[in-house]
Amino acid sequence: METEQTVKQEKPSLFGMIWSPSEQFDRIKQTPKIWVPLLLVTLLFTAGMALLAFSMDASYFELGDLTEEEAGLFLIIGMITMIIVGVFTPIFTVLISTVIYLLICKIASSDVTFKQLFSMNTYILVISAIGLIINSIITALIGGNPDVFITSVAGLLNAGPGSVWNSFEVFAIWQTIITAIGLHRVAGLSKGLAWTIAVIFFVLGIIINLVMPAV
């Protein structure tokens, strides 16, 4: 009985999401953790965006008739902006997705709590953070458009950032699968509903990626 109690209270592992997501979700349901994992994910995102920013050069922007000094200043501002985005992206992503999932779960009569879903989404986001770092390192080493991940179909086809193939990316698909598992194990949704929600959000992501370049 003591051993069983110890296992139930074991803390979820952030990087355990890579090789044993189901086990981590069970732990999150029992002992949801927020602040330390959110800090670590934020640091990973910031590091990834910093790597991506420092791999950029002025030729990436359409600078028109700007002087070399103006182009350099524009590049520095762009790099700083990317790093700031890396700092704030995790908290906003986790918060918005948690609110949406909570509304859906309540409609589905799930008794999952905000804290459990917030913890779940924080741990899931480590997959995106790892993908960002890997792609940033590859981009820094071989060059290329930072808006097109090498691990996407667009990266393989050498397509532009506005291509639909940019959304079909290894870590995005991986995260979709992990999200479906999390909604089933943490929120207690049926497998069918959990997968439906995860796939719908993946499709919405594709639509957003297609619309954004045109805005």
Side-chain angles (χ1 to χ4, degrees):
M1 183 65 70
E2 291 182 359
T3 302
E4 182 179 352
Q5 187 71 15
T6 301
V7 172
K8 287 183 178 181
Q9 293 180 350
E10 192 170 353
K11 296 179 181 180
S13 167
L14 191 63
F15 293 103
M17 292 297 297
I18 299 172
W19 51 80
S20 58
S22 296
E23 181 180 348
Q24 308 315 316
F25 285 135
D26 290 341
R27 295 177 181 179
I28 288 171
K29 188 170 184 177
Q30 295 292 330
T31 315
K33 299 295 180 182
I34 292 178
W35 299 115
V36 172
L38 183 60
L39 175 61
L40 292 175
V41 169
T42 300
L43 290 174
L44 289 173
F45 258 93
T46 304
M49 291 300 285
L51 285 170
L52 205 59
F54 286 113
S55 68
M56 294 167 56
D57 55 53
S59 63
Y60 169 69
F61 301 100
E62 296 180 2
L63 300 177
D65 298 326
L66 294 182
T67 65
E68 184 176 342
E69 291 76 12
E70 291 172 334
L73 178 61
F74 192 92
L75 178 61
I76 292 173
I77 293 174
M79 294 168 65
I80 293 174
T81 300
M82 288 183 67
I83 295 173
I84 293 175
V85 168
V87 173
F88 290 101
T89 292
I91 180 62
F92 282 111
T93 300
V94 172
L95 182 60
I96 293 172
S97 59
T98 298
V99 171
I100 295 174
Y101 289 158
L102 185 62
L103 290 173
I104 296 174
C105 289
K106 292 308 177 184
I107 294 174
S109 300
S110 170
D111 60 355
V112 69
T113 66
F114 179 88
K115 185 176 182 180
Q116 287 172 324
L117 285 175
F118 196 97
S119 179
M120 180 194 82
N121 287 322
T122 301
Y123 279 80
I124 289 174
L125 204 60
V126 74
I127 304 299
S128 288
I130 293 172
L132 175 62
I133 289 176
I134 290 176
N135 278 278
S136 298
I137 292 174
I138 295 174
T139 300
L141 292 175
I142 67 175
N145 191 326
D147 285 336
V148 179
F149 276 11
I150 304 300
T151 52
S152 69
V153 176
L156 295 175
L157 299 177
N158 199 27
S163 170
V164 65
W165 299 116
N166 200 40
S167 299
F168 291 90
E169 191 270 328
V170 171
F171 291 93
I173 295 173
W174 185 1
Q175 183 167 313
T176 299
I177 295 172
I178 297 296
T179 298
I181 297 173
L183 289 172
H184 173 61
R185 300 190 78 102
V186 177
L189 301 182
S190 67
K191 288 184 178 181
L193 181 57
W195 274 98
T196 299
I197 294 170
V199 170
I200 287 175
F201 273 84
F202 179 75
V203 173
L204 287 175
I206 294 176
I207 295 174
I208 292 173
N209 285 335
L210 290 175
V211 171
M212 285 300 290
V215 175

